[in-house]
Amino acid sequence: MDALKSFFMTAPVEPAVFAQSLWLIIALPLLGAFVCGVFGKKLGRANVNFIACAMVAGSFALSVLAFWCVNHAPSGGTPVAMENAFSSSAIRYALGYDYGIWFAAGDFRVNLGLMVDHLSGIMLLVITGVGFLIHVYSTSYMEHDESPWRYFAYLNLFIAAMLTLVLADNLVLLFVGWEGVGLASYLLIGFWYTDAAKAWAGRKAFIANRIGDFAFLIGSFLIVLLVGAFNDQASTSNYAPVGINPEAAQVRFREGLEMKGPLTFQGLEVMANAVPASSDKAPNALTLQTPIQAGPLAGRTFGGVLTAALLLFLLGAAGKSAQFPLYVWLPDAMAGPTPVSALIHAATMVTAGVYLFCRMSYLLVLSPTAMLVVASIGAFTALIAALIAFAQDDIKKVLAYSTVSQLGLMFMGVGTGIFWAAVLHLVTHAFFKACLFLGAGSVMHGNGDETDIKKLGGLRHEMTWTWVTFLIATLAITGIAPFSGFFSKDALLHGVHHNHLHGFESASTLLYAVGLVIAACTAFYMTRLYVLTFEGQRSPEAKTEHAHESSGYMTVPLVILAILSVVALVYALPLMPSRNGLQPVMENFLGPVFASAERIASRGALATLDHSVPTMADYLIAWVVALVGGGAAAFAYLKYYPSRGEQPAPAFARAVRRFTQNKFYVDEVYTFLIIRPVKNLGVLLFKLVDTMLIDTVLVRGTAWVTARVGGALRYAQTGDAQAYAAVMALALLGGAVYAIIQVLQ
Amino acid sequence: MVHSVDIKYYLVLAAVLFCLGMFGVLVRRNALVVFMCVELMLNAANLTFLAFARQNGDATGHVSAFFVIAVAAAEASIGLAIVIAVFRSRGTVNIEEIRTMKH
């Protein structure tokens, strides 16, 4: 055991040496995207498949190495630590490299810095690992498509952008990845662009994302101003929690700002540590209630601006992670190829919002209001998405709403401060949801692209591998005991229940209750999906007589993902020693990342974070909830549906069903409230400004005036040399007369 | 400086020549005659230059007159060439019928 431990904690490469090569992790898939996109047509299908998969595999190998280096703590040696430009205390279990100035304007500057700590390390492994499996799966899934090079170029581009997002050590570089994944997602949703509906789905996703990204940008600008104001106003006593010598810490922070710019996560972390909630303990210090003295934000308090910035980031995260009010694009995004849904719209990109808030956990815990809003948005989204999922008949749409719902759960966790469980659920969800999506793809592949679950059924005997893996993933997301989803969801709900936001005491219980309802709903619609697809008799409406099992390229990734969605449960088990007894592996593991958030919360004024481990009773409740939900669905659809399926449902049930099937008419509400007014305004502006003012008055008017003036002047231009000479003579005469008058005077 | 003639006679002569030339330019229709009239006007100008130069006792007027003569020679040669080209293409040198400048 000790030998194993020391093996995993001794990296084969010196971390400081490896850090310089971090850029390769991004560069490899980027190169793959370039080669596939530019030369793909000439290279041919097999070469493109090989290049695309190899680049991601290379990235995965490097990610493993990076992760290994982050854990580097040889016995007798010191654990790997990264120098913090903003404070004298190093960042533990992190390595990074700064490639110098990216751009600068005045005293604002942004560096091209990459950083790997435990959080981004986990994300790296998920992105490249799941990404690689999905690349392999795609080689078989897309084998009949006519332009695989375009597909793999986009897919590699996506991986590169997502890796940029998680490797970035500042908000600006993160935003580059943030935009990059949005672009790749847009390109891939509209991949089959000859179908207008699919192209429209891509546009919808793009625009919904842009709204969020705009909020993200404004939030970043607010943070820049906030850091500037903090730097101007903070007194030495603010820096007492940062370093042993406050004066040195203040100098260090200023140097850090000059060296790395205001949007670096390390600097934000130091700032968050240095701002107390109240001035009880540090009399002269700047607090969250202190008004900002100068600049565009003058008069507002630090806490207020921070809350506003965090809410803007929430809108940004809502766009990317498909949360209310910007979740409407995700179900439409299912128009893209299925592996894309698995990779981008279930496993990686949509978790960017959760990642962002985990990355900035120390800022989030400074604002209970923002936390509560994040949690409430998550709970609300999770609930309505789960309800909509009940009535969907399209296998991918059910999974899409389920994704929205699970992301909502993660937001609940982030919002109540149980960050590690949110990350754990993110990881396990990446495994089982990718497995479900790929399974759905396999089902479609074997059934002539049939997506209506009512026209499937009985696949259990025909697609054995798909069935087994889909069953495991379904049980995992449903929350049945020995699978990872049970533990991660339970850890999440436990944290939601026991963490307290001061000022919003009753929120935790309410959120917990909502969480249980969501868990029951998840169990119900997932069981319904599974039962209708795999159990019972084959539907007479099926497109093909017999489904065929997919090739090994598709089933092997399914098996690996299914295994992963079981073994990931280890991370939720309380095996690691800590101050309060044993703590879950993941919590221990992410400890260094969330240390600042813990420290700020333990000051006690804003939030109380709980560290208890779920008891048997908690597990029992979760299990019963899952069993009840799943059992109800299984009973309803196995016993009741086959016999009553032919009969018309009562009017009330049909109305409810139509209502949910139409997604609560949210799209229609948006059309009515936003899209149509904007469109009408656009038409008005077009008629008034474009057609009338610009086209008629300016463009045609200019031509008209010129033509008329020319027509009038035409009469002066006779072409008769003598007429011109006469004019000259008259002018001369005039000059002579003038001269004579002058002389005579 | 024997029998020095008063400058005003020169100037009056120049004015008469200039007016004759201008009259010809404005009235005559034959391009060649128009050119001759232009020469007349240039010579009137030359005469004034020389008269003033003589009166002031410096060479500036002479130099100017030389320039005018050179320019007049160039103008006459190019003008004649144009007139001949026009005559070849149209069979006439009547400037009333040559109005292609209009377009």
Side-chain angles (χ1 to χ4, degrees):
Chain A
M1 196 67 197
D2 276 344
L4 200 67
K5 199 175 160 194
S6 79
F7 173 75
F8 278 120
M9 293 183 80
T10 317
V13 191
E14 191 60 37
V17 177
F18 180 77
Q20 298 173 14
S21 315
L22 278 177
W23 63 276
L24 268 175
I25 298 180
I26 301 171
L28 277 181
L30 205 57
L31 179 71
F34 177 76
V35 172
C36 290
V38 177
F39 307 112
K41 210 163 187 173
K42 292 197 190 106
L43 288 172
R45 194 177 294 269
N47 286 327
V48 165
N49 287 348
F50 175 73
I51 290 171
C53 294
M55 289 302 170
V56 182
S59 223
F60 177 65
L62 286 173
S63 300
V64 170
L65 215 52
F67 194 67
W68 207 338
C69 285
V70 169
N71 288 314
H72 185 72
S75 50
T78 49
V80 61
M82 184 181 161
E83 196 199 357
N84 188 341
F86 293 83
S87 122
S88 51
S89 57
I91 306 169
R92 301 234 298 152
Y93 295 106
L95 59 93
Y97 196 76
D98 200 329
Y99 298 91
I101 298 187
W102 177 17
F103 60 80
D107 52 0
F108 175 78
R109 81 181 253 180
V110 175
N111 277 21
L112 204 65
L114 302 180
M115 185 180 76
V116 184
D117 59 5
H118 275 166
L119 178 60
S120 46
I122 290 171
M123 293 296 288
L124 279 184
L125 291 182
V126 170
I127 294 161
T128 52
V130 175
F132 175 68
L133 292 177
I134 289 170
H135 270 72
V136 171
Y137 178 95
S138 299
T139 57
S140 174
Y141 190 85
M142 300 300 281
E143 68 185 340
H144 302 304
D145 198 85
E146 46 196 42
S147 52
W149 46 86
R150 201 158 57 84
Y151 174 80
F152 280 107
Y154 294 164
L155 216 54
N156 268 356
L157 178 71
F158 169 77
I159 297 274
M162 192 69 202
L163 291 171
T164 315
L165 196 160
V166 296
L167 279 173
D169 83 338
N170 59 62
L171 268 172
V172 182
L173 192 57
L174 186 145
F175 189 68
V176 172
W178 189 268
E179 288 294 301
V181 292
L183 171 71
S185 153
Y186 158 75
L187 291 172
L188 283 164
I189 295 169
F191 179 71
W192 288 307
Y193 56 84
T194 44
D195 181 345
K198 289 174 180 168
W200 271 98
R203 268 169 65 170
K204 187 175 179 183
F206 197 68
I207 289 167
N209 266 295
R210 284 294 80 62
I211 297 169
D213 296 344
F214 187 58
F216 185 110
L217 267 185
I218 299 174
S220 308
F221 295 149
L222 280 183
I223 294 282
V224 172
L225 294 175
L226 195 72
V227 172
F230 172 79
N231 190 28
D232 290 342
Q233 277 177 248
S235 65
T236 314
S237 57
N238 269 111
Y239 291 91
V242 178
I244 296 144
N245 178 354
E247 272 168 46
Q250 185 167 21
V251 172
R252 189 78 194 240
F253 183 73
R254 291 202 169 139
E255 284 172 357
L257 277 187
E258 276 166 29
M259 242 167 69
K260 300 208 53 148
L263 285 175
T264 318
F265 292 126
Q266 303 159 18
L268 295 179
E269 186 168 353
V270 171
M271 184 181 88
N273 276 311
V275 185
S278 64
S279 53
D280 297 345
K281 285 174 191 161
N284 299 317
L286 169 159
T287 66
L288 285 178
Q289 281 83 39
T290 314
I292 294 173
Q293 281 162 2
L297 299 174
R300 322 239 174 244
T301 60
F302 278 90
V305 174
L306 190 64
T307 305
L310 286 170
L311 291 180
L312 285 167
F313 281 124
L314 172 64
L315 190 55
K320 202 63 60 188
S321 295
Q323 295 295 293
F324 184 83
L326 294 177
Y327 73 93
V328 286
W329 65 268
L330 186 59
D332 287 357
M334 296 303 122
T338 310
V340 171
S341 309
L343 176 62
I344 300 182
H345 305 121
T348 53
M349 180 184 99
V350 289
T351 58
V354 181
Y355 172 77
L356 177 73
F357 277 117
C358 287
R359 179 52 72 215
M360 301 204 297
S361 52
Y362 35 80
L363 288 183
L364 194 62
V365 289
L366 282 175
S367 170
T369 319
M371 286 179 89
L372 183 75
V373 175
V374 171
S376 314
I377 289 283
F380 183 66
T381 314
L383 195 60
I384 57 169
L387 291 179
I388 294 173
F390 272 106
Q392 299 294 319
D393 288 334
D394 184 320
I395 185 168
K396 283 180 76 183
K397 288 251 164 97
V398 177
L399 294 177
Y401 280 109
S402 152
T403 306
V404 173
S405 174
Q406 298 299 310
L407 287 166
L409 277 179
M410 292 176 215
F411 269 72
M412 273 168 75
V414 166
T416 44
I418 181 90
F419 299 106
W420 71 268
V423 175
L424 177 62
H425 197 56
L426 186 162
V427 173
T428 59
H429 177 257
F431 294 151
F432 55 64
K433 190 50 73 61
C435 185
L436 285 171
F437 263 117
L438 294 185
S442 178
V443 166
M444 285 160 61
H445 207 66
N447 287 281
D449 284 333
E450 179 61 75
T451 56
D452 191 337
I453 46 176
K454 293 206 164 149
K455 297 180 183 166
L456 293 165
L459 292 179
R460 180 175 172 170
H461 308 290
E462 309 190 7
M463 307 179 78
T464 322
W465 285 109
T466 310
W467 165 63
V468 171
T469 52
F470 203 92
L471 177 63
I472 291 172
T474 308
L475 291 176
I477 192 173
T478 305
I480 299 298
F483 298 96
S484 61
F486 171 78
F487 291 96
S488 61
K489 198 187 289 178
D490 200 50
L492 199 77
L493 292 178
H494 181 80
V496 169
H497 193 189
H498 288 91
N499 284 353
H500 287 286
L501 308 177
H502 290 263
F504 309 102
E505 259 63 23
S506 54
S508 345
T509 321
L510 191 67
L511 284 171
Y512 178 63
V514 174
L516 287 181
V517 173
I518 295 164
C521 293
T522 310
F524 187 90
Y525 65 72
M526 284 312 297
T527 311
R528 168 178 179 266
L529 177 71
Y530 166 76
V531 166
L532 286 181
T533 310
F534 288 97
E535 300 290 336
Q537 294 299 313
R538 190 157 174 77
S539 164
E541 294 173 78
K543 277 190 188 167
T544 48
E545 192 83 6
H546 284 285
H548 66 85
E549 181 59 287
S550 309
S551 73
Y553 288 110
M554 285 165 76
T555 47
V556 169
L558 282 176
V559 171
I560 297 175
L561 284 171
I563 293 171
L564 283 174
S565 50
V566 179
V567 297
L569 75 94
V570 176
Y571 288 104
L573 298 180
L575 298 174
M576 304 301 269
S578 80
R579 238 173 287 158
N580 319 322
L582 292 175
Q583 82 184 141
V585 179
M586 196 67 151
E587 184 176 10
N588 181 280
F589 193 63
L590 289 173
V593 182
F594 300 126
S596 288
E598 293 284 344
R599 205 175 313 131
I600 292 165
S602 69
R603 290 187 205 150
L606 298 168
T608 314
L609 302 187
D610 174 76
H611 293 284
S612 64
V613 175
T615 59
M616 271 303 145
D618 293 321
Y619 281 137
L620 206 62
I621 292 174
W623 204 15
V624 166
V625 163
L627 276 182
V628 165
F635 175 74
Y637 283 92
L638 280 177
K639 296 275 173 210
Y640 194 63
Y641 174 76
S643 56
R644 292 287 301 273
E646 310 300 321
Q647 297 174 15
F652 162 75
R654 262 180 301 163
V656 170
R657 188 175 154 72
R658 204 173 318 115
F659 186 64
T660 40
Q661 207 155 29
N662 287 317
K663 304 166 255 176
F664 293 175
Y665 295 102
V666 172
D667 272 326
E668 282 75 6
V669 170
Y670 281 177
T671 309
F672 184 74
L673 283 183
I674 299 168
I675 298 174
R676 202 168 304 154
V678 170
K679 223 176 203 167
N680 289 342
L681 187 69
V683 169
L684 194 72
L685 285 177
F686 172 72
K687 288 242 163 89
L688 216 69
V689 176
D690 248 53
T691 316
M692 225 172 88
L693 200 70
I694 294 181
D695 283 0
T696 312
V697 177
L698 289 181
V699 177
R700 259 180 251 143
T702 321
W704 187 84
V705 168
T706 319
R708 287 292 160 287
V709 170
L713 287 177
R714 231 168 73 183
Y715 296 105
Q717 194 198 10
T718 57
D720 183 354
Q722 280 182 321
Y724 300 153
V727 172
M728 277 155 58
L730 278 175
L732 200 63
L733 191 64
V737 169
Y738 178 75
I740 289 169
I741 291 170
Q742 290 288 317
V743 169
L744 288 182
Q745 277 175 351
Chain B
M1 287 299 203
V2 214
H3 304 299
S4 141
V5 184
D6 192 13
I7 190 171
K8 72 179 170 205
Y9 297 107
Y10 288 104
L11 291 183
V12 168
L13 177 61
V16 168
L17 281 176
F18 188 85
C19 289
L20 279 174
M22 194 158 82
F23 178 77
V25 166
L26 292 180
V27 173
R28 295 306 293 262
R29 294 287 177 260
N30 189 315
L32 285 172
V33 180
V34 170
F35 268 116
M36 278 152 58
C37 294
V38 170
E39 298 297 321
L40 217 52
M41 285 160 71
L42 289 172
N43 277 329
N46 274 346
L47 193 57
T48 25
F49 273 128
L50 291 176
F52 282 120
R54 175 89 177 166
Q55 191 190 28
N56 290 346
D58 68 8
T60 323
H62 297 275
V63 175
S64 298
F66 272 117
F67 273 113
V68 172
I69 288 167
V71 169
E75 178 241 313
S77 60
I78 292 175
L80 275 176
I82 293 173
V83 168
I84 289 167
V86 167
F87 182 74
R88 276 194 184 154
S89 67
R90 298 175 185 235
T92 177
V93 287
N94 189 332
I95 53 172
E96 289 230 302
E97 291 165 25
I98 310 168
R99 292 192 170 184
T100 43
M101 266 175 82
K102 193 168 178 177
H103 300 293

